[in-house]
Amino acid sequence: MGSHSEAEVRKVIEDWAQAVRHKDLEGVVANHVEDVVMFDVPPPVQVQGLDAYRKTWPPFFEWQRSAEGSFDIAELNITAGADVAFATAILQCASKEAREKDPSPTLRLSLGLPKQHGRWLIAHEHHSFPLE
């Protein structure tokens, strides 16, 4: 059984993933620091700041709609201290067509979270797919 901090971090991450699935932009950005840094699959190499982060999601939501895309956590591992946490996850993030060919999870996710003013917030996200 994990620590209380791990359970709190798990809830932040699961709520974020649910917001992504529901194309809820405010829910996606809700638990992020103002100067969040994201390394994403599409360019640019680095997205910095909450405004830039916010702008990356509408195109993804459009892809989800058009491709019946998934965004489901298959595995989530968390290490949490008193005020810093690190999480790794494997997700199924694929079009309906791709899932029908191979339902295996393919998206890798790493997250860094500091605890600020009693709240766990996402400060860093790194999304990647393995090269074929």
Side-chain angles (χ1 to χ4, degrees):
M1 180 150 238
S3 73
H4 180 67
S5 291
E6 287 175 6
E8 291 174 344
V9 170
R10 181 173 299 277
K11 177 157 180 22
V12 167
I13 295 167
E14 288 175 346
D15 287 353
W16 167 81
Q18 181 175 347
V20 172
R21 281 193 304 279
H22 293 290
K23 301 166 207 59
D24 169 13
L25 185 57
E26 293 312 308
V28 170
V29 302
N31 292 305
H32 286 71
V33 298
E34 194 65 37
D35 60 346
V36 62
V37 173
M38 178 174 66
F39 301 153
D40 203 359
V41 174
V45 170
Q46 174 178 271
V47 174
Q48 190 155 13
L50 201 53
D51 289 339
Y53 176 80
R54 177 185 298 273
K55 290 175 185 170
T56 68
W57 288 100
F60 182 79
F61 296 156
E62 184 52 42
W63 169 81
Q64 278 182 301
R65 280 193 233 8
S66 65
E68 296 181 50
S70 61
F71 195 85
D72 299 304
I73 296 173
E75 179 183 319
L76 177 58
N77 297 293
I78 298 165
T79 301
D83 57 3
V84 176
F86 178 79
T88 59
I90 303 294
L91 290 86
Q92 183 186 68
C93 180
S95 67
K96 180 180 179 183
E97 181 181 350
R99 287 191 314 273
E100 288 170 353
K101 290 179 187 170
D102 181 358
S104 303
T106 56
L107 181 68
R108 301 173 293 201
L109 173 68
S110 300
L111 299 163
L113 302 90
K115 192 170 193 177
Q116 297 180 352
H117 308 291
R119 288 182 57 210
W120 288 103
L121 299 172
I122 299 169
H124 177 72
E125 286 181 35
H126 186 158
H127 308 231
S128 67
F129 287 105
L131 288 175
E132 303 212 359

